[in-house]
Amino acid sequence: MTLQFNDETFRDDYSFHNSERAIKRFPFPFDKDSYMYVVNMEQHRGGPSDSIYEMRFDVDEHYVSEMRDRAMVLADDPLRCQSLPHMTLAGWDLLELIMVSKSEDYPDLFQLHRDGDKWHWINKPLGIDDHFTFMDETTLPYGPMEYITRQTQGDFCVLDQRDDNLWMDAGTITTQADWSLDFDIGMNFFEWHAPVPLAHEKGIFVRALKFLLNIQQGAPARRLNWTMTVNPLLDTSPENYHKWGIQKTSLTPENIGAKQHLRVELQTFFRLPRSNALVFPIRCYLCAFQDIVSVPKWGRRLHRVIRDLPEELATYKGFIDNRPMMLDYLSKFDDGQDTSNGIWPELDSEPPLKT
Amino acid sequence: MSGAEKIAVRVTEVTPLNDLVTRFRFEPVDGGLLPTFSGGAHTVVEMQDGAITRLNPYSLMSDPFDQSAYTISVRRDDEGRGGSLFMHKSVSVGDEMVISNPVNLFSLDLRAKKHLMIAGGIGITPFLAQIKQLDRAHGNWELHYACRSQALGSYVDYLTDTHPNDVNVYYDDQDQAIDLENLTDRQPLGTHIYVCGPKGMINWVRAKSTDLGWPREAIHYEEFLAPQPGKPFEVKLAVSNKVIQVGEQESLLEAIERAGVDAPYLCRGGACGMCETRVIDYTGNFIHRDHWLEDDEHASGEKIMPCVSRFEGKTLVLDR
């Protein structure tokens, strides 16, 4: 597979777009026609060929443009990347994990040559060719976590594990669904999840934490999460809410198919060996409603999920005001036919839309 | 268990250290590299003892950054169920064994300004790896190590040779004892205490340091419980619809595994919580031995840790 990288933007003129291939591999997050929180973890050990689950760190057509957007966010607001002093070892762990994974999974794009602690890293898509000494910060232009996360799609929370809890003690967060690293830094698992409705009452976080504390070396896990974003914005941060929040009022029945995006996070969890920290990559995938409904099964299902979602969740996810307009649009793609279980598009077996 | 792949290793050295302790060196069978780990981690070693599969956790004591080999030290327990005896009597150089990926339930708190380590007997092993990790990072640490006698002081010479200023050794048979009150009193702010050794020592350090006003978060301990033998009992596994017999010399977890039922685990020593199992019905008494469940959970009759706890009575039905 040769990858063509899009030249596109996630701001201003929003030239972001998904190719046919990208639409087919979009991680549609609903495995049935309704949605409620569950501890939906599974092992992250590969997946169907060319799916976003196949590789440890998925690299897709948006890679180069996403990294350019990240650099812009960091230039405007350096506090989007922070690492408390005790987290440097975990940063090296993360750098090693990503470099080893990418060079093994995408040998035509990334190469890593190691001679003891003398490392040579080649990132062809970004034109990077660096020699450095592993575990010597002075040989890199940034700290190890910042260096490698400027070259890897997705946000990265690096969580310290102690006192039977996880602590948000480092991260690079520029593509977030309205939460702030600068606000959450140093918080524990329950503290940073405090704003989430309904899940606490259902005991979700107690069980999720127990699961995460026991994630082992060599046995990473994953889940999907989702929300809604108007315009293909990666940076929907509280820091910039004044810039993007207002855009939610720009939807019209005419532009909703192009402007309204389903935002899906592939969340993975890896135990970091040298530090015993946990890294929590949150990879954001965006897909416009008009592209989602090109898959008949997804069009039917998205309508049903959005229609039946509890009000608290639609409010928390920030689209309660636009829900009626969304449903007007989506209902045209729901002909009432049954849908098959699972998230995959099933283009060959699902019937086309009855008109 | 569900989880990471196991690692196939070959025993490349068996080194008796004294009357009780023998060191084993494992290298990967495929000639590749072992995963790095963090100081304080353990591995679960699988032993094929005739028809019985034994799974015992042992702290990794080698340099966490050394990917060519792992080493563990095993203290022979003549009263135990046989895992350590198997290692001492039946394992020799050239044997192939299977071990788990490293798991750390006793990791360093890397925020600490200083690491104060207190070891008793074979409890020294996790500290050997932590010291190597800290030395590489120029960490500040101090070790206080209590042994029964000079003859049984595993790694005393190595430690005092390499770190004469940071290692303090106490011999029971010479009536030497750690003066915990003075020791903790002179530590700088931001010090964390780590203790690994016999149960009595762990309880003493935890209680004393708590009395002296140390915060709970600054006291770290690790004690692997070995499952204790007990009277045989019968268990019904409701999910898999099986009735199993737990023998005198095996744990409930081992009996569940022997029946082909997958039960998750990490430490097999009552500490990690992974194998926590819901009790559906019972008539009889639990013999809880774990550190995981709270006292009220023990009393509730609703949960059991099958790695170390047992049951005496008529009926036990578990959610497995």
Side-chain angles (χ1 to χ4, degrees):
Chain A
M1 170 208 74
T2 37
L3 204 49
Q4 294 285 330
F5 296 108
N6 300 348
D7 184 7
E8 60 192 358
T9 57
F10 302 87
R11 54 180 74 206
D12 305 325
D13 64 344
Y14 299 114
S15 62
F16 165 87
H17 55 282
N18 282 309
S19 67
E20 279 295 312
R21 172 175 174 258
I23 294 168
K24 269 189 209 153
R25 70 199 298 279
F26 179 73
F28 188 74
F30 307 113
D31 62 351
K32 49 185 187 301
D33 288 354
S34 62
Y35 174 79
M36 191 15 100
Y37 289 123
V38 286
V39 183
N40 53 341
M41 305 276 194
E42 62 177 9
Q43 298 261 313
H44 183 43
R45 311 285 284 278
S49 173
D50 197 38
S51 74
I52 61 143
Y53 290 146
E54 185 181 10
M55 304 303 187
R56 287 165 279 188
F57 296 91
D58 183 43
V59 176
D60 68 7
E61 65 189 29
H62 308 297
Y63 176 52
V64 173
S65 294
E66 282 190 30
M67 293 300 96
R68 190 166 51 210
D69 196 72
R70 164 157 295 163
M72 287 191 261
V73 173
L74 289 174
D76 288 347
D77 183 359
L79 292 177
R80 300 296 191 86
C81 175
Q82 300 189 41
S83 178
L84 298 183
H86 62 284
M87 298 302 283
T88 304
L89 181 60
W92 285 110
D93 265 330
L94 180 62
L95 176 144
E96 179 178 33
L97 173 67
I98 293 176
M99 286 187 178
V100 169
S101 301
K102 281 190 167 179
S103 60
E104 289 175 359
D105 293 349
Y106 300 93
D108 49 338
L109 300 179
F110 305 96
Q111 289 173 10
L112 176 65
H113 305 284
R114 288 180 283 185
D115 178 12
D117 59 2
K118 303 293 174 207
W119 289 28
H120 179 196
W121 168 245
I122 301 168
N123 177 336
K124 289 185 187 166
L126 297 183
I128 292 169
D129 186 322
D130 282 340
H131 294 263
F132 63 96
T133 305
F134 188 69
M135 300 285 288
D136 181 354
E137 277 176 273
T138 63
T139 61
L140 283 175
Y142 307 100
M145 179 192 72
E146 181 170 356
Y147 178 78
I148 197 60
T149 57
R150 279 175 177 269
Q151 302 179 43
T152 310
Q153 289 165 279
D155 281 348
F156 287 82
C157 306
V158 187
L159 312 175
D160 196 18
Q161 179 158 333
R162 54 177 199 270
D163 310 331
D164 294 325
N165 212 323
L166 294 166
W167 304 80
M168 183 80 69
D169 285 351
T172 299
I173 309 294
T174 68
T175 67
Q176 68 267 50
D178 205 7
W179 68 278
S180 165
L181 175 70
D182 192 39
F183 185 75
D184 285 359
I185 192 100
M187 285 189 186
N188 71 33
F189 189 79
F190 298 111
E191 290 167 344
W192 84 68
H193 280 119
V196 182
L198 301 180
H200 292 274
E201 293 84 329
K202 292 169 76 81
I204 292 282
F205 290 122
V206 172
R207 271 181 290 152
L209 176 62
K210 212 166 183 173
F211 179 90
L212 295 174
L213 291 172
N214 281 329
I215 284 189
Q216 294 177 70
Q217 276 181 241
R222 68 184 172 214
R223 68 183 285 260
L224 295 176
N225 195 13
W226 66 279
T227 188
M228 292 286 176
T229 303
V230 173
N231 290 327
L233 279 152
L234 284 177
D235 175 21
T236 50
S237 58
E239 285 88 344
N240 280 331
Y241 187 79
H242 58 292
K243 295 178 191 163
W244 60 267
I246 190 76
Q247 297 179 25
K248 291 198 273 183
T249 64
S250 69
L251 279 191
T252 65
E254 291 71 39
N255 68 22
I256 187 169
K259 265 184 177 297
Q260 180 64 58
H261 289 70
L262 178 59
R263 181 190 193 97
V264 176
E265 294 174 349
L266 169 62
Q267 306 183 342
T268 51
F269 307 87
F270 296 82
R271 175 69 54 201
L272 296 175
R274 299 169 195 269
S275 59
N276 201 39
L278 194 72
V279 68
F280 172 29
I282 308 167
R283 170 68 180 280
C284 169
Y285 294 85
L286 293 163
C287 193
F289 270 22
Q290 64 189 18
D291 290 337
I292 289 176
V293 300
S294 71
V295 177
K297 172 178 166 182
W298 292 353
R300 292 179 182 111
R301 179 163 293 167
L302 186 60
H303 172 249
R304 296 167 198 177
V305 169
I306 300 305
R307 182 189 64 201
D308 301 338
L309 196 73
E311 202 152 300
E312 297 96 319
L313 288 184
T315 304
Y316 172 66
K317 290 178 185 286
F319 63 88
I320 187 78
D321 290 344
N322 285 334
R323 177 149 75 169
M325 202 191 299
M326 288 179 181
L327 291 175
D328 280 347
Y329 176 84
L330 291 171
S331 62
K332 290 180 284 187
F333 302 94
D334 185 0
D335 53 15
Q337 295 198 68
D338 287 347
T339 53
S340 59
N341 281 333
I343 64 173
W344 308 105
E346 320 283 2
L347 284 166
D348 298 332
S349 53
E350 293 286 288
L353 189 69
K354 273 191 209 157
T355 49
Chain B
M1 67 162 296
S2 20
E5 280 99 12
K6 302 289 175 76
I7 304 170
V9 292
R10 181 170 287 112
V11 179
T12 56
E13 286 175 22
V14 177
T15 312
L17 297 177
N18 51 46
D19 279 354
L20 288 179
V21 178
T22 296
R23 182 174 67 230
F24 298 85
R25 179 182 170 90
F26 299 129
E27 295 181 28
V29 168
D30 65 7
L33 295 175
L34 293 165
T36 54
F37 61 94
S38 48
H42 70 264
T43 185
V44 175
V45 178
E46 291 191 16
M47 304 166 207
Q48 283 307 329
D49 187 0
I52 304 170
T53 304
R54 301 182 187 281
L55 298 161
N56 280 18
Y58 293 105
S59 294
L60 294 166
M61 53 168 282
S62 44
D63 182 344
F65 282 27
D66 179 359
Q67 294 182 262
S68 64
Y70 290 160
T71 54
I72 61 168
S73 287
V74 179
R75 182 187 184 280
R76 197 182 73 236
D77 180 359
D78 295 322
E79 309 296 310
R81 298 176 321 133
S84 67
L85 284 173
F86 177 85
M87 290 298 292
H88 276 252
K89 289 181 179 166
S90 307
V91 173
S92 41
V93 171
D95 287 1
E96 286 190 17
M97 299 187 83
V98 172
I99 64 175
S100 74
N101 264 270
V103 172
N104 201 340
L105 303 172
F106 188 53
S107 61
L108 294 167
D109 189 325
L110 296 175
R111 298 171 307 163
K113 299 284 182 273
K114 181 177 173 183
H115 306 271
L116 178 63
M117 301 167 173
I118 300 172
I122 194 65
I124 190 64
T125 50
F127 293 122
L128 293 166
Q130 290 183 337
I131 286 169
K132 290 192 175 98
Q133 178 178 338
L134 287 171
D135 280 350
R136 185 173 270 110
H138 310 293
N140 184 11
W141 60 271
E142 180 179 318
L143 171 70
H144 296 264
Y145 177 20
C147 320
R148 273 205 238 162
S149 64
Q150 256 175 320
L152 291 174
S154 308
Y155 305 109
V156 163
D157 293 343
Y158 161 78
L159 285 163
T160 50
D161 285 353
T162 50
H163 300 92
N165 299 322
D166 301 313
V167 173
N168 306 270
V169 181
Y170 306 79
Y171 295 115
D172 293 350
D173 67 348
Q174 298 175 29
D175 292 327
Q176 297 168 340
I178 299 172
D179 179 355
L180 198 56
E181 189 152 350
N182 275 318
L183 177 61
T184 53
D185 200 35
R186 62 176 169 76
Q187 298 305 320
L189 207 62
T191 299
H192 280 241
I193 298 176
Y194 303 81
V195 56
C196 185
K199 192 181 186 70
M201 177 184 230
I202 292 172
N203 292 345
W204 169 63
V205 171
R206 289 178 66 200
K208 188 85 181 166
S209 49
T210 304
D211 286 350
L212 293 169
W214 282 68
R216 182 186 56 80
E217 298 83 0
I219 304 160
H220 310 266
Y221 59 96
E222 178 161 69
E223 179 200 5
F224 285 133
L225 301 169
Q228 297 298 310
K231 287 184 197 155
F233 58 103
E234 186 176 280
V235 186
K236 178 155 198 266
L237 304 178
V239 178
S240 41
N241 196 23
K242 287 183 177 170
V243 176
I244 61 168
Q245 309 295 328
V246 183
E248 191 180 332
Q249 293 293 332
E250 72 182 338
S251 70
L252 173 53
L253 178 61
E254 289 164 346
I256 292 172
E257 290 168 339
R258 187 165 51 76
V261 176
D262 186 34
Y265 68 84
L266 283 182
C267 78
R268 305 183 79 86
C272 75
M274 192 76 170
C275 69
E276 181 182 302
T277 299
R278 200 167 66 85
V279 175
I280 294 172
D281 190 23
Y282 73 103
T283 313
N285 298 311
F286 292 98
I287 305 163
H288 291 295
R289 292 204 174 102
D290 60 280
H291 299 303
W292 173 254
L293 299 172
E294 303 292 337
D295 289 346
D296 58 331
E297 291 177 305
H298 281 156
S300 74
E302 290 171 2
K303 290 173 181 172
I304 186 169
M305 307 304 295
C307 60
V308 291
S309 298
R310 302 185 71 89
F311 180 79
E312 284 180 356
K314 258 179 75 179
T315 324
L316 177 62
V317 185
L318 297 179
D319 185 20
R320 285 277 180 218

